[in-house]
Amino acid sequence: MCQSEARRGPELRAAKWLHFPQLALRRRLGQLSCMSRPALKLRSWPLMVLYYLLPFSALRPLSRVGWRPVSRVALYKSVPTRLLSRAWGRLNQVELPHWLRGPVYSLYIWTFGVNMKEAAVEDLHHYRNLSEFFRRKLKPQARPVCGLHSVISPSDGKILNFGQVKNCEVEQVKGVTYSLESFLGPRTSAGDLPFSPDTSCSSFKNQLVTREGNELYHCVIYLAPGDYHCFHSPTDWTVSHRRHFPGSLMSVNPGMARWIKELFCHNERVVLTGDWKHGFFSLTAVGATNVGSIRIYFDRDLHTNSPEYSKGSYNDFSFVTHANKEGIPMRKGEHLGEFNLGSTIVLIFEAPKDFDFKLKAGQKIRFGEALGSL
């Protein structure tokens, strides 16, 4: 018996030696779990980065001692995208030397497939900085506005999804939804808003559908970095209210939209609401990484991507005043606003049941082309 124990002595010592780092690591992870949330994020970042960069087998011992990485979604959400977007915005405004403009803009054109023949000014040296190049205007006849259809595309882009709004859920891409109420914001009793206080989801949708026999429709258009970055009025309507949601600035490309549920509800966005000839109409400009700047031409009080904001907060502004009791009239095709790089436009509107989209999911579309009609 003693000889057996003697023979097992080296094995026991080896096992004890291997077990010691695990005990120390458990103790260290226990200390991490007691930290405040900001400190925990900071101290656990190296482990998380290693977990996603190295093969799983290389960090398998960590799982044995109780460490579990946050999900890839949570890891991505912890990236300071607002700070990065503000830094990118300042970089975009730096004036480039005349000799450097051609090579820099040519690289961007080649990377994202920009068609400069449509630009009002084709000479690359005309654009003093990246911001001016991103917000370039088009030639007057480059985007003819379709007059036969009641709703046109407000921008260049890719159709991610469209159709009727069902059960107060809207699809950002196929199979991934977000809440209509979370996206447009809670209802308020203010007289200048098209919402009234209620608690049920169906009542929220019913408050938007103001006319009997109408349905609620939506359309999501993704603007890639190489697309024309201005957006226009998609129909003849009157804008009565603006709601600004400060928020994250995560990427809104289709791959990310499939990955993160309610992505559009997390990101900073500007919701314009009002009425058209068939009732409620809204256009929402959704910000994205490096697209903290959303500009509405007639709204000088709007300031996006501010350094300080409260999560979940929003700011309301009414265009209905004693002097102007209707709001801001917009004609179909009229300039409405612009992004700094590329992002997403979401249309939510009511229309009669026979409204028909002239679209296919995933198709490319240009400003002025038909979205649908009666």
Side-chain angles (χ1 to χ4, degrees):
M1 190 72 174
C2 293
Q3 291 178 352
S4 175
E5 290 181 357
R7 285 195 300 271
R8 291 175 58 193
E11 297 177 6
L12 292 172
R13 284 193 296 273
K16 193 172 183 180
W17 181 83
L18 289 171
H19 194 57
F20 174 76
Q22 293 188 9
L23 289 175
L25 189 53
R26 277 198 184 98
R27 193 176 298 113
R28 182 61 184 141
L29 290 172
Q31 293 173 356
L32 283 174
S33 64
C34 296
M35 289 183 177
S36 64
R37 186 172 295 272
L40 177 60
K41 281 186 177 181
L42 182 63
R43 301 297 288 273
S44 60
W45 250 95
L47 290 178
M48 290 188 289
V49 171
L50 287 174
Y51 178 83
Y52 290 116
L53 292 181
L54 297 180
F56 175 74
S57 57
L59 292 177
R60 187 171 293 169
L62 291 175
S63 62
R64 292 176 180 172
V65 299
W67 183 76
R68 295 290 184 274
V70 297
S71 69
R72 286 173 171 81
V73 173
L75 178 61
Y76 179 66
K77 287 181 179 179
S78 66
V79 175
T81 52
R82 292 180 64 84
L83 179 62
L84 293 174
S85 297
R86 283 196 297 274
W88 177 254
R90 292 189 179 183
L91 179 63
N92 286 348
Q93 295 174 3
V94 174
E95 185 170 346
L96 295 176
H98 194 271
W99 60 269
L100 190 59
R101 296 174 188 177
V104 170
Y105 300 147
S106 296
L107 177 62
Y108 187 91
I109 291 168
W110 177 80
T111 302
F112 296 108
V114 178
N115 184 3
M116 285 302 293
K117 292 182 179 179
E118 298 177 334
V121 180
E122 297 184 38
D123 182 13
L124 298 181
H125 297 92
H126 169 80
Y127 304 101
R128 295 173 297 176
N129 51 47
L130 286 168
S131 181
E132 287 188 2
F133 179 72
F134 294 148
R135 295 180 288 106
R136 63 192 176 277
K137 304 299 181 182
L138 298 181
K139 293 175 181 176
Q141 302 304 319
R143 296 290 187 274
V145 175
C146 177
L148 299 178
H149 298 275
S150 54
V151 182
I152 62 170
S153 176
S155 65
D156 289 9
K158 178 181 180 180
I159 301 296
L160 296 188
N161 219 303
F162 63 92
Q164 283 190 20
V165 176
K166 298 180 180 179
N167 301 321
C168 288
E169 292 286 327
V170 184
E171 283 192 326
Q172 57 191 29
V173 291
K174 187 67 175 178
V176 182
T177 63
Y178 58 92
S179 164
L180 178 64
E181 187 169 4
S182 297
F183 182 69
L184 296 178
R187 286 146 293 177
T188 176
S189 58
D192 57 346
L193 296 181
F195 314 118
S196 64
D198 208 311
T199 55
S200 67
C201 170
S202 60
S203 294
F204 183 86
K205 180 181 175 182
N206 292 339
Q207 290 294 332
L208 300 182
V209 180
T210 60
R211 301 182 185 181
E212 186 176 355
N214 281 1
E215 294 289 344
L216 201 62
Y217 297 88
H218 76 101
C219 183
V220 183
I221 305 170
Y222 167 69
L223 287 74
D227 288 329
Y228 170 55
H229 295 87
C230 297
F231 50 94
H232 301 246
S233 175
T235 192
D236 295 335
W237 65 307
T238 301
V239 184
S240 59
H241 180 263
R242 178 258 291 164
R243 175 170 280 173
H244 171 219
F245 292 84
S248 302
L249 286 171
M250 294 180 283
S251 172
V252 292
N253 68 63
M256 195 64 67
R258 294 187 188 94
W259 194 27
I260 301 178
K261 182 178 173 61
E262 296 202 335
L263 171 63
F264 298 157
C265 298
H266 292 301
N267 270 18
E268 182 161 17
R269 59 198 182 278
V270 177
V271 182
L272 300 178
T273 55
D275 295 281
W276 71 318
K277 62 182 178 180
H278 298 297
F280 172 79
F281 198 96
S282 73
L283 181 149
T284 301
V286 183
T289 306
N290 299 332
V291 196
S293 176
I294 302 172
R295 183 183 174 193
I296 305 297
Y297 294 138
F298 58 76
D299 189 354
R300 297 182 179 180
D301 295 320
L302 176 64
H303 301 286
T304 56
N305 197 13
S306 301
E308 297 181 3
Y309 79 102
S310 300
K311 187 175 182 180
S313 65
Y314 58 88
N315 304 307
D316 286 329
F317 184 85
S318 175
F319 299 110
V320 177
T321 62
H322 292 292
N324 181 10
K325 296 184 178 181
E326 294 186 358
I328 307 295
M330 297 296 300
R331 302 293 296 174
K332 184 167 62 174
E334 186 178 351
H335 280 83
L336 183 56
E338 62 187 32
F339 291 112
N340 192 38
L341 187 55
S343 194
T344 299
I345 295 287
V346 179
L347 302 179
I348 299 175
F349 57 94
E350 72 167 301
K353 292 182 179 180
D354 57 349
F355 183 86
D356 182 33
F357 282 104
K358 310 293 183 182
L359 304 171
K360 293 181 180 179
Q363 79 171 69
K364 292 287 291 182
I365 198 166
R366 304 200 303 178
F367 155 61
E369 294 179 347
L371 285 185
S373 63
L374 298 171

